[in-house]
């Protein structure tokens, strides 16, 4: 009899523990208002909607399927989640007081002291880098703007490629063959005075703000220099989400000497053959060059929050913008490699950018 009672007690305790572990903390609804498929869609849930989760261990699942949804707390307190949505789909999700499954980082980045101060970052689609101050001592290798590394693997490759030190050769998962030089590369910004780019030098310090697993964010600081009658400095905050071909960049200029500062944000096309797009309706620029032995790296930039006019100047596509002191410019910029097998034509690339713009304009709606 005592044995039976002991079993009943243990079963009861087990049931109680299970109930405690699966306590539902919160339920939310996510709505895709667009008639578009949205894969690996990032959704920033405002802190005020998830405040009760702070300090708690929890798991997020789709209510109907039980599929776990990955998440990341952001520096501003918001909660970043990602999911796939069919056109016009509404999902119900629930937050339970249960440990979430471990998630491999789908983003990564670091300072590269062993390669003259590069700063490199990547996700499961592509990799990028910006050049540090030390590289200015090797002018034949120096570049001004953002470099893009072509990948065809969802693995993080930066450390391996730098270790092998032959990333200009394709070892099976991609290579670096994009040319930057004295240009804005795959998407960057510089002062644009008297019709010329004004190079401020490479970055001198960095700060990593968010390290994944879904978003990598960092800042690069370019110290004050005297150029063209100005004293100018800039801080660039760059973030890359898992599943995205594009970075979000926010550049904030501090300057004195004059009331306004002209800048140019754009992508290089080297005046080469290929397809150039200046889409004023969607505020984007795109370039899809000719094929090469290593394939094609298409580049693009879009301005989702301002009606900047897209122009073709100095072998670049982009926008000339007039700034006040301490004013920020926000843009998205990046690249795609045709040999990765997902975006394989100029038409594909333009469509990707147009849909990216729409997804920013009409974010997933979050409600209770």
């Amino acid at each position: 009899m005592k044995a039976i009672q002991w079993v009943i007690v243990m079963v009861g305790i087990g049931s109680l523990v299970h109930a405690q572990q699966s306590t539902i903390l919160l339920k939310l609804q996510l709505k895709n208002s667009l008639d578009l498929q949205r894969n690996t869609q990032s959704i920033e849930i405002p802190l005020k909607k998830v405040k009760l989760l702070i300090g708690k261990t929890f798991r997020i699942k789709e209510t109907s399927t039980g599929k776990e949804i990955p998440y990341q707390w952001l520096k501003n307190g918001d909660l970043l989640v990602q999911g796939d949505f069919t056109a016009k789909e509404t999902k119900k999700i629930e937050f339970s007081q249960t440990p979430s499954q471990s998630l491999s980082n789908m983003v990564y980045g670091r300072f590269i002291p062993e390669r003259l101060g590069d700063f490199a970052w990547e996700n499961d689609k592509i990799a990028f880098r910006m050049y540090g101050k030390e590289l200015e001592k090797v002018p034949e290798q120096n570049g001004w703007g953002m470099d893009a590394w072509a990948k065809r693997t969802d693995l993080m490759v930066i450390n391996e490629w730098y270790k092998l030190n032959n990333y200009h050769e394709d070892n099976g998962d991609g290579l670096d063959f994009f040319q930057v030089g004295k240009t804005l590369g795959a998407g960057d910004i510089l002062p644009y005075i008297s019709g010329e780019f004004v190079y401020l030098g490479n970055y001198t310090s960095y700060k990593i703000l968010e390290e994944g697993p879904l978003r990598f964010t960092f800042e690069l600081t370019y110290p004050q220099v005297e150029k063209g009658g100005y004293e100018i400095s800039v801080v660039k905050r760059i973030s890359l989400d898992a599943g995205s071909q594009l970075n979000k960049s926010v550049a904030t200029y501090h300057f004195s000497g004059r009331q306004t500062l002209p800048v140019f944000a754009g992508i290089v096309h080297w005046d080469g053959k290929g397809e150039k797009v200046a889409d004023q309706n969607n505020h984007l620029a795109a370039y899809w060059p000719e094929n090469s032995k290593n394939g094609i790296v298409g580049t693009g930039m879009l301005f989702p929050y301002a009606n900047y006019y897209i122009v073709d100047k100095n072998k670049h596509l982009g926008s000339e913008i007039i700034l006040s002191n301490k004013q920020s410019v926000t843009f998205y910029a990046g690249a795609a490699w045709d040999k990765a097998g997902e975006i394989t034509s100029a038409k594909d690339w333009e469509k990707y950018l147009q849909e990216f713009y729409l997804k920013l304009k009409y974010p997933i709606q979050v409600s209770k």
Side-chain angles (χ1 to χ4, degrees), residues 3 9 29 45 67 95 105 113 146 153 155-156 194 205 211 229-230 242 259-260 273 275 286 324 347 358 368:
V9 169
Q29 181 172 278
I45 303 177
K67 180 181 179 182
F95 300 71
N105 263 30
M146 184 169 70
T153 175
L155 301 176
M156 304 296 103
S194 301
S205 64
E211 296 188 76
Y230 291 90
Q259 293 297 311
T260 60
K273 295 179 180 179
E275 298 193 39
S324 301
K347 185 177 180 180
L358 284 174
K368 290 189 176 180

Side-chain angles (χ1 to χ4, degrees), residues 165-184:
N165 197 29
N166 68 342
Y167 46 80
H168 294 294
E169 299 294 328
D170 189 350
N171 295 308
D173 51 12
L175 74 162
D176 172 26
F177 71 98
F178 181 78
Q179 185 180 5
V180 180
K182 296 179 179 180
T183 77
L184 298 177

Side-chain angles (χ1 to χ4, degrees), residues 322-342:
I322 306 299
L323 297 179
S324 301
N325 186 31
K326 300 180 183 179
Q327 183 179 349
S328 297
V329 179
T330 300
F331 56 88
Y332 287 76
W337 187 33
D338 66 333
K339 288 190 176 182
E342 295 183 12

Side-chain angles (χ1 to χ4, degrees), residues 228-259:
Y230 291 90
E231 291 184 348
I232 310 170
S233 65
V234 61
V235 176
K236 299 174 184 176
R237 178 176 290 197
I238 301 172
S239 61
L240 180 65
D241 286 3
S244 177
Q245 304 289 151
L246 304 181
N247 302 278
K248 179 182 180 180
S249 293
V250 181
T252 305
Y253 280 88
H254 294 74
F255 63 89
S256 60
R258 300 185 189 180
Q259 293 297 311

